[in-house]
Amino acid sequence: MSSLKDNDLSLEGIKLRLRDFAEARDWDQFHSPKNLSMALSAEVAEIVEHFQWLTEEQSKNLPKDKLAEVETELADTLIYLIRLADKLDIDLIKAAQNKIEINEQKYPVNKAKGNAKKYTELDNE
Amino acid sequence: MSSLKDNDLSLEGIKLRLRDFAEARDWDQFHSPKNLSMALSAEVAEIVEHFQWLTEEQSKNLPKDKLAEVETELADTLIYLIRLADKLDIDLIKAAQNKIEINEQKYPVNKAKGNAKKYTELDNE
Amino acid sequence: MSSLKDNDLSLEGIKLRLRDFAEARDWDQFHSPKNLSMALSAEVAEIVEHFQWLTEEQSKNLPKDKLAEVETELADTLIYLIRLADKLDIDLIKAAQNKIEINEQKYPVNKAKGNAKKYTELDNE
Amino acid sequence: MSSLKDNDLSLEGIKLRLRDFAEARDWDQFHSPKNLSMALSAEVAEIVEHFQWLTEEQSKNLPKDKLAEVETELADTLIYLIRLADKLDIDLIKAAQNKIEINEQKYPVNKAKGNAKKYTELDNE
């Protein structure tokens, strides 16, 4: 059992709590990175499903009940993402910080600023 | 500009850094929840792509260069997930903690323990 | 070897051609339904990626070079879909016709006609 | 209205039937290529969901009721794929035949045959 309290609010805290959760249920046998990547993609698709027939404007102004549903899907997505990173021994926060640094150099403000076409092209490089 | 330092290692720190990043490039116009959900799903698919022809066993033992590539995809996934949550004003950590509590009640240890078939059925409820 | 000619233009013709293709390369070993479902989702994500930063209007008016790229992704998607159906011994055309019949009863014209809100709700039933 | 009968068993027949279906319900307004790509990816994720905790072996031997559910998801996937291709004025069958020709040259039998490692590498080129 983890020594962290249930209300630990960091990513690290959630990682340990999820470890305990899977271990107690003997579910590690199902949590190969391959399987977790599938579960992750299925959860993200449930987010997409909420937005597929909405306009962009509508997606910014979800009614409360819809928003609560989307919140649950985001939670599931984060849970599987943390679990997958744990199984691969990847530090998610550090990885994200590194990637943002790369993006800051890849998309310099003066080249990327405010142009949809440019944005798309840069994005597809 | 955010007052947080670039090396802030919390989810909150990344959220603010991503805000600055998008604002400086005038990219908020593209970051509707609808569009971000699409970008999120495209990133997750790049994770899936790494695992699709591997056995579960192989997915647990990635060679170093593959692992580095997967790490970058996980980073991109977290980045878009944080960005999407920010746009919807959702607290990701709190949402995940709430969901884990629900899961702990939904899958009690004595019912769920160690049975693949049971696991699958419970999972599909 | 299939007796169908390479230019057979039916779904059945493609199915047989893909069988020959995989057999000749000894790739059936990788084509479990599980793996094929992953490959299918990765291909669809490449379609999504083309549209993620476009407005709905822009997505209707792709420049020629973009359209050619999307066409290739649609082809890849159909290829994996046919392959997956073949491995599961599912008749895709018959399955689609059956599903359309179900949809026609599920969404009667008089209830579903022309109302976005209604559409979304019906769709989520 | 299409002049094709409901039991037309070609891809072309389904395309026309889906056109009638959307037109009668005034749903073309929702069927931008952007939106249809999202719906397509959400359907594929439902296929993935069926396989995510199964071994490859299990995925080859679905129980009858599971297989029937997967069949419905494959049908939905084909339906949205046909609809998306129609909106983009793409001939799916021709596109797939062209792509298979390209693949036949890209993966020559003598180089690609029977080697998982080779397969993966070739696939990622």
Side-chain angles (χ1 to χ4, degrees):
Chain A
M1 288 291 290
S2 150
S3 62
L4 277 168
K5 285 161 288 169
D6 282 359
N7 56 359
D8 185 289
L9 292 182
S10 69
L11 223 56
E12 189 66 15
I14 296 179
K15 181 182 87 179
L16 296 174
R17 194 171 172 187
L18 291 173
R19 267 192 207 171
D20 288 348
F21 182 89
E23 207 176 297
R25 283 155 190 80
D26 204 7
W27 283 0
D28 277 289
Q29 56 183 310
F30 308 115
H31 287 187
S32 64
K34 181 183 179 92
N35 288 2
L36 288 168
S37 77
M38 296 174 83
L40 177 62
S41 83
E43 289 305 336
V44 168
E46 294 186 24
I47 303 174
V48 169
E49 214 178 343
H50 279 286
F51 294 123
Q52 64 195 9
W53 307 123
L54 302 186
T55 64
E56 289 187 58
E57 234 13 66
Q58 289 169 331
S59 80
K60 294 177 191 169
N61 298 287
L62 296 180
K64 254 192 180 169
D65 55 335
K66 278 283 165 203
L67 185 59
E69 288 174 36
V70 171
E71 181 167 340
T72 305
E73 311 301 359
L74 291 194
D76 285 328
T77 301
L78 182 61
I79 284 171
Y80 280 122
L81 182 60
I82 291 173
R83 194 80 187 121
L84 176 57
D86 189 23
K87 286 294 182 182
L88 294 169
D89 210 12
I90 287 171
D91 183 328
L92 266 182
I93 296 282
K94 221 187 280 179
Q97 292 285 16
N98 289 342
K99 190 60 201 305
I100 294 172
E101 255 160 61
I102 290 168
N103 285 345
E104 284 168 346
Q105 298 181 342
K106 202 171 160 189
Y107 306 110
V109 169
N110 63 322
K111 276 181 66 185
K113 189 162 182 176
N115 186 330
K117 211 181 149 203
K118 209 149 230 163
Y119 178 71
T120 311
E121 281 164 20
L122 288 168
D123 193 60
N124 286 332
E125 272 171 19
Chain B
M1 286 291 291
S2 151
S3 63
L4 277 168
K5 284 162 290 170
D6 282 359
N7 57 357
D8 185 289
L9 291 182
S10 69
L11 223 57
E12 190 66 16
I14 296 179
K15 182 182 86 178
L16 296 175
R17 192 170 173 189
L18 290 173
R19 266 193 209 170
D20 288 348
F21 183 88
E23 208 177 296
R25 284 156 190 79
D26 204 5
W27 283 0
D28 276 289
Q29 56 183 311
F30 307 114
H31 287 188
S32 64
K34 181 183 179 91
N35 288 2
L36 288 168
S37 77
M38 296 174 82
L40 177 62
S41 83
E43 288 305 336
V44 168
E46 294 185 26
I47 304 174
V48 170
E49 213 178 343
H50 279 286
F51 294 123
Q52 64 194 9
W53 307 122
L54 303 185
T55 64
E56 289 188 58
E57 236 10 69
Q58 290 170 330
S59 79
K60 293 176 192 169
N61 299 287
L62 296 180
K64 254 194 179 165
D65 55 334
K66 278 282 165 205
L67 185 59
E69 287 174 36
V70 171
E71 181 167 339
T72 305
E73 312 300 359
L74 291 194
D76 284 329
T77 302
L78 183 61
I79 284 171
Y80 280 121
L81 183 59
I82 291 173
R83 193 80 186 122
L84 176 56
D86 188 24
K87 285 295 183 181
L88 293 169
D89 208 14
I90 287 171
D91 183 327
L92 267 182
I93 296 282
K94 222 187 275 179
Q97 292 285 15
N98 288 342
K99 189 61 199 306
I100 294 172
E101 256 160 60
I102 290 168
N103 285 346
E104 283 168 347
Q105 299 182 342
K106 201 172 161 191
Y107 306 110
V109 169
N110 62 323
K111 277 182 65 184
K113 189 161 181 176
N115 187 329
K117 210 181 150 202
K118 211 149 229 162
Y119 177 73
T120 311
E121 280 164 19
L122 287 168
D123 194 61
N124 286 331
E125 274 172 20
Chain C
M1 287 291 291
S2 151
S3 62
L4 277 168
K5 284 161 288 169
D6 282 359
N7 56 358
D8 186 290
L9 291 182
S10 70
L11 223 55
E12 189 68 16
I14 296 179
K15 182 182 87 178
L16 296 175
R17 192 170 172 188
L18 291 172
R19 267 193 207 169
D20 287 348
F21 182 89
E23 208 178 295
R25 283 155 191 79
D26 204 6
W27 283 1
D28 276 289
Q29 57 183 310
F30 307 115
H31 287 188
S32 64
K34 182 184 179 90
N35 288 3
L36 288 168
S37 78
M38 296 174 82
L40 177 62
S41 84
E43 288 305 336
V44 168
E46 294 185 26
I47 304 174
V48 170
E49 213 177 344
H50 279 287
F51 293 123
Q52 64 194 8
W53 307 123
L54 303 186
T55 64
E56 289 187 58
E57 236 10 70
Q58 289 169 331
S59 80
K60 295 176 191 169
N61 298 288
L62 296 180
K64 254 194 178 167
D65 55 336
K66 277 284 165 204
L67 186 59
E69 288 174 37
V70 172
E71 181 167 340
T72 305
E73 311 301 358
L74 290 194
D76 284 328
T77 301
L78 182 61
I79 284 171
Y80 280 121
L81 183 59
I82 291 173
R83 193 80 186 122
L84 176 55
D86 188 24
K87 285 294 182 181
L88 294 168
D89 208 15
I90 286 172
D91 183 328
L92 267 182
I93 296 282
K94 222 187 276 179
Q97 293 284 15
N98 289 341
K99 190 60 199 311
I100 294 172
E101 256 159 61
I102 291 168
N103 285 346
E104 284 168 345
Q105 299 182 342
K106 202 171 160 192
Y107 307 110
V109 170
N110 63 323
K111 276 182 65 185
K113 188 160 181 177
N115 186 331
K117 212 182 149 201
K118 209 150 230 162
Y119 178 72
T120 312
E121 280 163 21
L122 288 168
D123 194 61
N124 285 332
E125 275 172 18
Chain D
M1 286 291 291
S2 150
S3 61
L4 278 168
K5 285 161 288 169
D6 282 359
N7 56 0
D8 185 290
L9 290 182
S10 69
L11 222 57
E12 189 68 15
I14 295 179
K15 182 181 87 178
L16 296 174
R17 194 170 172 188
L18 291 172
R19 267 192 207 170
D20 287 348
F21 183 89
E23 207 177 297
R25 284 155 190 79
D26 204 6
W27 282 0
D28 277 288
Q29 58 183 309
F30 307 115
H31 287 188
S32 65
K34 181 182 180 91
N35 288 3
L36 288 168
S37 77
M38 297 174 82
L40 177 62
S41 83
E43 289 305 335
V44 168
E46 293 185 26
I47 304 174
V48 170
E49 213 178 343
H50 279 285
F51 294 123
Q52 64 193 10
W53 307 123
L54 302 186
T55 64
E56 289 188 58
E57 234 12 67
Q58 290 170 330
S59 80
K60 294 176 191 169
N61 298 287
L62 296 181
K64 254 191 179 169
D65 55 335
K66 278 283 165 205
L67 185 59
E69 287 174 37
V70 171
E71 181 167 339
T72 305
E73 311 301 358
L74 291 193
D76 284 328
T77 301
L78 182 60
I79 284 170
Y80 280 122
L81 183 60
I82 291 173
R83 194 78 186 123
L84 176 56
D86 188 23
K87 285 295 182 181
L88 293 168
D89 208 14
I90 287 172
D91 184 328
L92 267 182
I93 296 282
K94 221 187 278 180
Q97 292 285 16
N98 289 342
K99 189 61 200 305
I100 294 173
E101 255 159 62
I102 291 168
N103 285 346
E104 284 169 345
Q105 298 182 341
K106 200 170 161 192
Y107 306 110
V109 170
N110 63 322
K111 277 182 65 185
K113 188 161 182 178
N115 187 330
K117 210 181 149 204
K118 209 149 230 163
Y119 178 70
T120 311
E121 281 163 19
L122 288 169
D123 194 60
N124 286 332
E125 274 172 16

